[in-house]
Amino acid sequence: MLQVPSYNMVFRTMVFILVILFSFQVAQAQMGIVVGINGHQLVKVNLENGELTPMRDLKGLPEGAELRNLVYIPRDTAFYSTLNFRSNPELIKIRATGAWERVGAFTAENKSIYFCEGLTYDETNDLLYLSASLDGTIQQDKVSEAILTVNRKNAKCVMVATLRQEPPPNDFDEIAMFQGRLFGLDGLPDRKTTYIYPFSPAQFDGRELFAGTKQNIPYFTMDDVVVVGQLLYFPDHKTQGWYFFDLLARRWHQVGQLHGPAAIRPIKLTGLAYLPLAQA
C-alpha cells in the first residue's frame, strides 16, 4: 500500500535540504572572506552568525566623511568605495592594509552626477558599475535611475542605461553581479517591500530599462550587499539583523544578528565585499 508522507516528514526533509545548501554556501565562502566598512574601519564579517572582527583603521579620512559601498577587484588588488555619496560623490581606492587614496569625483560628459547609491564589478567584462541620479539632488529626487560605467583611474563615467520611472521598481538602491547579470534592489518603505530584479549587461546600450522580472522580499534598511556563491547577503540597520537572499531558490533567511566588540561600535555596515583568501 502506498504511504503518503506526513506533513512533519516533508517539513523536516525541506529543513534538512536547506541546512545542507547553506552549509555548502558557507564552505564555499571559506575560499575567501567578506570584508565590510563600519564607520572608518574595515571589518571581517562572519557569514554564519554576523560577528564582526576589526581588521584595519582607515586613517586620515576627512572628519564626518561617509563611506558607502565596497567592491574588491582582484586584478587591482584593491577595494573601491564611494565617499560622500549624498553630494559631490567621489571614488576612493583602498588597500587591504587600510591605506587609501582618492581616485576622483564622479563625472560624466554633459551630465551632473548628483548622488550615487550602488557599486558593483563585472569581472567578465572588467567593468565597474555605479548607480546614480543624473536628474536631481537626493533632497529633491531620492532616485538613482541611471547605471554608469566607471573608469577606475580617474572616476570618469559613461551612462549606459536608465530605469523607467513608472511603475516601481524605478530605482537602483543597491546593485550586484551574479552569473553575468546585474541585479538591482529597490526598497520601498511605503509598500514594506524590497524589489530584486536582474538585467543583462547586453541591455546596457543607453536604452531605458523596464524591471519586468522581479522578486520581492520585506523592506530592509541596507547600504550595500555582497554575493557569495548564490547567496546575496545584506544587513538591516533598523534591527541589526544579518540576512541572505538565495538568488536561485528565491528565498530569504535571517542568519543572525550583527555583533562585535566595543571597538567597532556603533555598528552600521555601509560596505560589503568578497576578498579571496589568496589576497587577504
Side-chain angles (χ1 to χ4, degrees), residues 7 18 20-21 23 25 31 44 60 95 139 142-143 159 169 205 242 260 270 277:
Y7 173 81
L18 288 173
I20 293 297
L21 288 174
S23 298
Q25 292 297 323
M31 298 170 62
K44 180 180 176 181
R95 299 293 180 182
Q139 292 78 16
K142 301 186 186 304
V143 174
M159 192 275 287
D205 56 7
W242 178 237
T270 58
L277 276 183

Side-chain angles (χ1 to χ4, degrees), residues 47-66:
L47 296 182
E48 297 181 60
N49 58 20
E51 182 180 13
L52 307 182
T53 305
M55 284 183 61
R56 298 283 187 274
D57 288 333
L58 301 175
K59 297 179 179 179
L61 284 168
E63 185 175 352
E66 187 174 6

